[in-house]
Amino acid sequence: MTEDVDNWEEDLEEDAVVANVLKNLNIQKQHHFSEVHSSTERVDSVALPCGHQMPADYVVAWFKYFLKQKKTEFSCPGFNDVQRKTCGAKLSYQDICRLIPLTDRQREFLEENLAALVAKRLFDFKACPGCQSHVERRDRSNLCVNCTICTANLKRTYYFCWNCRREWKGPANNAVRCGNNGCGQKARTLDPLKPCKPEIKREKLEAGEEIYPMIDKSPDRKRLALLINNVEFKHIDDRTGADQDELSMEMLLKGLGYTVVTLRDLTAQGMRAAMRDFARREEHDQSDSCFVVLMSHGDASGICGVFDSLSSDDEEDILPRDEIFNSLNTPNCAGLRDKPKIILIQACRGGEDGSADVQDSVPRHRRRKEHREKDFCCLMSCTPDTVSFRDKEKGTRFIQAIVEIFNEHACQDDIMELFRKVLKKFKETHRDQMPCIERTTLSNKVYLFPGL
């Protein structure tokens, strides 16, 4: 399933299973909203039934995140000050529709993905390897499944294996195994992240270096990472290729032991709310660090929200970089006090001309003294007043370089050495862009010890 759905009704006609689920769920296009709201009108905030007020784009982004986790209900990410934990009040898709005038594109994406999730729970169906149409398996004990479309097209009975999704080989009456090589064996996916060897970790800890305490891998460790990826914009070019950055960064962070909260297409107000709620998550109390990754257009004043405009007459939709640090500082994020907070920002900081690549830029209990901003390290994709570059297929140079360096060297190097290697890579291969280490206040070394 992709976000770019152009022929929603035609797709439903082709997939009777999904159409039936939509009907059963009573999910209908909310035409009454269009009578009041333009599809491009900006709706700043909504009041949820639990009482939390939050930006509409932030609510939609969270619902998309829950769908990505294969959940069909949304739970409020706001902080409950009385219970001192994340609210978690449940809302359905119908609740979201009543609260927010969704655009056609948002509605199509949410409904198609919701229907697919529900259909997988109600029915046993997969795409036929011959024609890619969805085929329901009525006998769940039988791996040999007939596709009527391929049978008609090929003018012979066509069976495929439910397990390996290849055309069936062997006797058709054998319901438990086909004759294809490797059927029944799970394909191994190689993790590009090199694990840290226990002896390397022991050597680092015994060497007398000042290292931030890192909790050993266990179910009790609750590492969190926030990834904000702005891809589709209302008034400026979309960030084509950013999907690849998102996938690469998610894989890296998950490999490093972080639960990744990925939020798409936020306004500055939405990013502000995301940072505020992330800072108050109770999981930080059982964590040793966090990652915050922001990927968007940007300029000298900050990071662009999806409503930013080329017109100087319109209200700016810009998140100043200071607000990222302020949200995670000592008074605002108690759970991460004295713990390293690693911030990666992929966004331009100016509008200078670049090369053939696409530019990510916009043309314009006990009280004691603690410093407000400490234990941060931040790597930005470029120096002040310059641009970052993005390939429409591969993604940004910055994110791809970070993923490559971390995968290869995080098993033995500390975070500042990893940053240095990223800078060195740019010096050797991309002389028109140079990442920049800024506002770094680490007092000790940070080792990620992947796998341990």
Side-chain angles (χ1 to χ4, degrees):
M1 302 285 180
T2 64
E3 285 195 45
D4 298 320
V5 180
D6 297 321
N7 300 309
W8 181 73
E9 292 175 336
E10 293 179 10
D11 289 344
L12 292 186
E13 289 174 3
E14 294 173 2
D15 192 338
V17 173
V18 176
N20 186 51
V21 173
L22 285 179
K23 183 179 179 181
N24 290 338
L25 289 175
N26 194 28
I27 297 176
Q28 303 293 334
K29 290 190 175 184
Q30 308 294 313
H31 289 298
H32 60 278
F33 279 125
S34 62
E35 299 172 4
V36 183
H37 297 277
S38 164
S39 62
T40 58
E41 182 180 345
R42 180 171 171 180
V43 180
D44 286 333
S45 63
V46 294
L48 301 184
C50 58
H52 283 110
Q53 189 94 10
M54 53 186 60
D57 59 285
Y58 180 48
V59 175
V60 173
W62 261 100
F63 199 89
K64 287 184 177 182
Y65 169 72
F66 274 84
L67 286 177
K68 195 172 183 178
Q69 308 307 307
K70 304 189 184 308
K71 298 177 181 178
T72 56
E73 277 190 321
F74 161 83
S75 62
C76 174
F79 190 76
N80 187 316
D81 289 301
V82 176
Q83 298 182 357
R84 306 301 300 169
K85 65 177 184 178
T86 301
C87 173
K90 301 292 185 183
L91 286 92
S92 67
Y93 173 69
Q94 287 83 353
D95 294 328
I96 301 297
C97 287
R98 284 193 291 269
L99 291 167
I100 301 172
L102 300 172
T103 65
D104 287 342
R105 197 168 192 175
Q106 288 173 331
R107 188 163 50 247
E108 288 164 359
F109 171 78
L110 295 176
E111 290 179 1
E112 181 173 291
N113 282 272
L114 249 180
L117 284 176
V118 176
K120 285 180 181 178
R121 295 179 184 177
L122 297 178
F123 308 101
D124 195 20
F125 70 93
K126 286 185 180 180
C128 167
C131 63
Q132 300 305 313
S133 64
H134 286 94
V135 178
E136 182 182 1
R137 181 174 66 156
R138 300 189 182 279
D139 181 359
R140 298 200 176 204
S141 64
N142 191 348
L143 293 178
C144 184
V145 180
N146 172 236
C147 174
T148 56
I149 294 176
C150 285
T151 296
N153 291 340
L154 298 172
K155 295 181 172 53
R156 63 177 174 82
T157 305
Y158 180 89
Y159 295 103
F160 70 92
C161 176
W162 197 257
N163 190 35
C164 66
R165 285 191 64 245
R166 288 177 284 179
E167 185 172 0
W168 185 268
K169 284 187 179 181
N173 60 355
N174 180 357
V176 294
R177 186 183 174 206
C178 78
N180 285 306
N181 290 332
C183 182
Q185 300 175 4
K186 290 186 176 180
R188 292 186 61 187
T189 54
L190 295 177
D191 187 349
L193 179 65
K194 287 186 177 180
C196 178
K197 296 179 180 178
E199 56 267 28
I200 292 180
K201 180 177 181 179
R202 187 166 54 250
E203 177 187 319
K204 299 291 184 185
L205 295 175
E206 293 175 355
E209 296 180 284
E210 292 184 323
I211 299 174
Y212 281 96
M214 303 304 277
I215 302 172
D216 290 337
K217 184 178 180 179
S218 75
D220 295 329
R221 188 180 70 182
K222 307 292 183 184
R223 285 179 172 174
L224 279 184
L226 175 65
L227 195 164
I228 296 174
N229 187 19
N230 288 342
V231 181
E232 297 177 359
F233 292 77
K234 301 297 181 183
H235 305 292
I236 54 181
D237 291 341
D238 292 344
R239 296 181 58 249
T240 309
D243 288 342
Q244 187 58 49
D245 286 344
E246 182 178 310
L247 291 172
S248 299
M249 187 55 66
E250 282 182 335
M251 180 178 287
L252 172 64
L253 293 172
K254 289 174 182 177
L256 292 171
Y258 293 85
T259 298
V260 186
V261 176
T262 301
L263 302 177
R264 277 264 196 130
D265 299 336
L266 295 177
T267 61
Q269 190 180 30
M271 289 189 280
R272 202 171 282 120
M275 294 297 305
R276 176 201 64 212
D277 290 339
F278 180 77
R280 303 184 78 180
R281 291 281 292 262
E282 58 268 25
E283 291 95 331
H284 294 317
D285 292 333
Q286 297 171 268
S287 177
D288 50 24
S289 58
C290 82
F291 270 82
V292 173
V293 183
L294 294 100
M295 304 186 291
S296 185
H297 286 306
D299 62 15
S301 61
I303 299 163
C304 294
V306 293
F307 264 94
D308 200 43
S309 172
L310 299 176
S311 171
S312 58
D313 298 330
D314 294 327
E315 179 185 355
E316 280 194 336
D317 188 25
I318 297 284
L319 178 73
R321 294 177 184 86
D322 281 352
E323 295 198 25
I324 302 167
F325 293 87
N326 291 342
S327 64
L328 296 172
N329 66 13
T330 302
N332 291 328
C333 188
L336 289 172
R337 188 176 299 157
D338 299 322
K339 302 172 184 178
K341 296 161 279 286
I342 302 158
I343 299 172
L344 306 174
I345 301 176
Q346 165 55 48
C348 283
R349 305 173 70 182
E352 294 183 8
D353 291 338
S355 61
D357 290 340
V358 181
Q359 298 178 12
D360 266 350
S361 66
V362 176
R364 36 141 226 125
H365 319 296
R366 285 183 304 175
R367 293 192 172 272
R368 59 190 175 96
K369 290 281 187 181
E370 291 275 6
H371 196 278
R372 295 183 64 85
E373 186 176 307
K374 63 186 184 68
D375 307 307
F376 281 92
C377 64
C378 176
L379 185 62
M380 298 191 181
S381 61
C382 58
T383 54
D385 303 318
T386 62
V387 297
S388 297
F389 293 97
R390 172 174 38 87
D391 184 275
K392 289 185 177 181
E393 295 182 358
K394 298 178 182 178
T396 59
R397 296 174 178 177
F398 178 66
I399 295 298
Q400 296 307 314
I402 286 175
V403 170
E404 178 185 330
I405 296 297
F406 276 53
N407 278 336
E408 183 68 24
H409 301 288
C411 58
Q412 60 186 16
D413 291 338
D414 70 281
I415 197 76
M416 294 305 295
E417 177 61 16
L418 294 172
F419 283 3
R420 188 194 67 79
K421 285 180 174 173
V422 172
L423 268 61
K424 184 179 180 182
K425 181 177 178 64
F426 272 80
K427 180 182 177 181
E428 294 173 349
T429 60
H430 303 301
R431 301 199 174 189
D432 51 356
Q433 180 182 344
M434 177 56 70
C436 185
I437 301 173
E438 290 196 4
R439 293 179 74 155
T440 293
T441 53
L442 296 178
S443 56
N444 298 328
K445 289 186 175 182
V446 180
Y447 286 98
L448 297 169
F449 300 130
L452 299 178

